Amino acid sequence: MRNLHGEHTMKAVGVTPSQREVGILDHSTPELQQDDEVIIRTLDVGICGTDREICTFVYGDPPAGSDYLVLGHEAMGEVIEVGAAVQNLKAGDFVVPSVRRPCTDENCLPCKQGLQDFCSNGNYVERGIKECHGFMTESFVERERFLTYIPPDLKDLAVLMEPLTIAEKGLAQAWATQKRLPWVRHYENGKPTGKGLNAVVLGAGPIGILGAMTMRAAGFETYVYNRSPAPNPKAEIVEAIGAKYISSKDVAVSDLPGEVGSIDLVYEAVGISSVAFDVLGVLGVNGVYIFTGIPAPGDPIQVDADQLMRNIVLGNQSVIGTVNADDASFKAAIRDLAYFRKHWPEAIDAVITRRYSIESCRELLLERATGIKNVISFE
Ligand code: BGC
Ligand code: ZN
């Protein structure tokens, strides 16, 4: 296809905030512009809460000069062409792109070191989210350094990599924080281990379930606290990985420590501040609480701040926010995906609810969320 300017175009899923529109649009087919770039044929793109939120126009922005934003930040594709300076990728390889691109400020030390997930000034861009087009298109171009090679046998699961990196970075942050407890010698084979520690994962969406798998693989006794009563398909996955599913309909937040014991780690993946702060109130002594949810702005809520502050101080607790992920988290996600496939093949397969064609984009983005991870497949 060609557009009015004679450029080749392809189908993409995008939002046009000024028109409050969501759907398929024509987007120019990208070409190599620099020697270190790679052209990728898109195979799978996951849909997540962030995409759905962008479609309500409270989050996300088109690139400068464009009235629309191509969505999609959880992608997997096949390399079809590489620039002259590309070193480690070739046509036929499978890759997963990361999401965030560094700012250009010389004074932003994290971005200068390739740790744009910690960008210090907010001038980063994110593909498919903030001022940069995403991957919900037939093909895209990316620089080699923002791509992770995927072993072919993980191809079918690789669309789960990006949401899994959120858990990997979260866990790395938890280990970094708990280095403050020198008497805790939770090391096995040179790696930290959660053996003997209790983790509570809040929420059983894709971020929660992948988080629970990550914590379980790291050795934690893992509990997933979620609203829906069991039995349900999410509870089945949780039980299949040797974690315990607890419904808030059966166990009140205040009774969680009675079920779990001392809560050493909370991995928040629910995005609802009232629930998240309630559970912060039952974090154990010396515990660490990892926030990952990004709630839409809402009315102020009431929290028992005196009690929370007393607990945090008297219990030496750490509360950490984490966003996006670095290269190390992508590498860890590959190792963990392989582990999940080996140990829990059916459970990890069940995280991908269904693959749809691009024509289903509006129902997937705008109607009630169903299943766990829905994917748009371009094959
Ligand atoms: C993405 C992250 C991103 C964050 C904030 C999440 O859905 O997975 O990569 O940094 O949204 O925009
Ligand atoms: Zn996402």
Side-chain angles (χ1 to χ4, degrees):
M1 247 188 327
R2 284 175 191 269
N3 65 12
L4 295 174
H5 315 287
E7 294 163 339
H8 284 282
T9 62
M10 57 182 180
K11 279 188 198 170
V13 178
V15 294
T16 313
S18 56
Q19 316 284 325
R20 297 184 77 81
E21 269 176 21
V22 176
I24 298 179
L25 38 83
D26 280 342
H27 182 56
S28 56
T29 307
E31 289 167 10
L32 295 180
Q33 310 268 350
Q34 293 179 63
D35 280 355
D36 64 343
E37 287 179 341
V38 176
I39 304 184
I40 295 129
R41 180 168 73 93
T42 313
L43 295 174
D44 282 338
V45 184
I47 300 227
C48 89
T50 304
D51 300 312
R52 296 171 58 84
E53 189 158 273
I54 296 171
C55 292
T56 67
F57 312 104
V58 300
Y59 192 63
D61 287 298
S66 169
D67 59 348
Y68 65 87
L69 169 75
V70 173
L71 287 173
H73 60 274
E74 304 180 359
M76 191 281 297
E78 180 181 348
V79 171
I80 51 175
E81 198 181 328
V82 298
V86 169
Q87 297 189 320
N88 298 310
L89 292 172
K90 56 177 191 322
D93 285 348
F94 298 109
V95 289
V96 165
S98 65
V99 178
R100 190 176 283 197
R101 303 294 168 261
C103 73
T104 51
D105 183 349
E106 274 299 303
N107 297 317
C108 180
L109 298 181
C111 281
K112 270 178 77 176
Q113 288 179 36
L115 294 173
Q116 55 270 16
D117 53 320
F118 282 97
C119 176
S120 55
N121 56 32
N123 294 331
Y124 60 84
V125 300
E126 287 184 337
R127 294 206 62 168
I129 300 176
K130 182 177 182 279
E131 296 157 18
C132 189
H133 289 309
F135 310 118
M136 240 179 247
T137 63
E138 296 170 45
S139 69
F140 60 91
V141 163
E142 189 49 271
R143 299 176 71 181
E144 180 178 26
R145 66 182 174 111
F146 299 124
L147 297 167
T148 299
Y149 169 85
I150 303 297
D153 59 330
L154 288 177
K155 169 183 177 244
D156 290 350
L157 294 176
V159 68
L160 299 175
M161 280 265 299
E162 198 279 338
L164 177 56
T165 61
I166 305 298
E168 300 291 357
K169 179 179 168 188
L171 182 57
Q173 295 295 302
W175 293 136
T177 308
Q178 298 309 59
K179 280 207 178 131
R180 70 199 172 117
L181 313 178
W183 63 91
V184 181
R185 285 283 170 260
H186 290 291
Y187 277 87
E188 201 174 64
N189 306 324
K191 271 190 9 195
T193 162
K195 278 198 184 138
L197 298 172
N198 297 317
V200 169
V201 174
L202 255 192
I207 296 284
I209 290 193
L210 291 168
M213 290 182 166
T214 306
M215 302 316 157
R216 191 73 200 108
F220 287 92
E221 278 308 318
T222 304
Y223 300 80
V224 175
Y225 191 57
N226 191 46
R227 195 169 50 184
S228 317
N232 66 59
K234 294 172 176 174
E236 265 174 48
I237 295 179
V238 168
E239 301 286 339
I241 65 166
K244 185 160 185 229
Y245 183 92
I246 303 177
S247 164
S248 56
K249 299 254 158 56
D250 301 327
V251 177
V253 169
S254 53
D255 294 331
L256 262 184
E259 290 283 315
V260 172
S262 181
I263 301 175
D264 302 300
L265 170 73
V266 174
Y267 180 72
E268 178 276 318
V270 63
I272 302 169
S273 56
S274 55
V275 179
F277 277 86
D278 256 1
V279 175
L280 176 57
V282 294
L283 181 65
V285 169
N286 302 333
V288 51
Y289 193 108
I290 311 283
F291 273 105
T292 78
I294 309 172
D299 292 332
I301 60 160
Q302 279 209 319
V303 295
D304 191 348
D306 286 339
Q307 193 58 43
L308 280 180
M309 189 163 159
R310 280 174 65 91
N311 287 353
I312 291 171
V313 171
L314 294 174
N316 288 292
Q317 297 172 336
S318 326
V319 179
I320 296 184
T322 181
V323 67
N324 201 252
D326 59 357
D327 223 37
S329 303
F330 276 82
K331 299 274 155 37
I334 292 192
R335 286 194 296 275
D336 265 343
L337 262 193
Y339 181 97
F340 302 165
R341 153 140 301 164
K342 180 161 173 224
H343 295 269
W344 314 309
E346 283 164 17
I348 186 67
D349 277 352
V351 176
I352 298 179
T353 303
R354 220 181 118 180
R355 286 183 164 81
Y356 292 82
S357 77
I358 187 175
E359 271 71 35
S360 301
C361 65
R362 281 180 54 86
E363 63 185 83
L364 292 170
L365 289 162
L366 300 173
E367 288 174 17
R368 214 175 75 86
T370 56
I372 304 171
K373 178 59 73 185
N374 286 308
V375 171
I376 293 187
S377 164
F378 290 80
E379 282 197 89

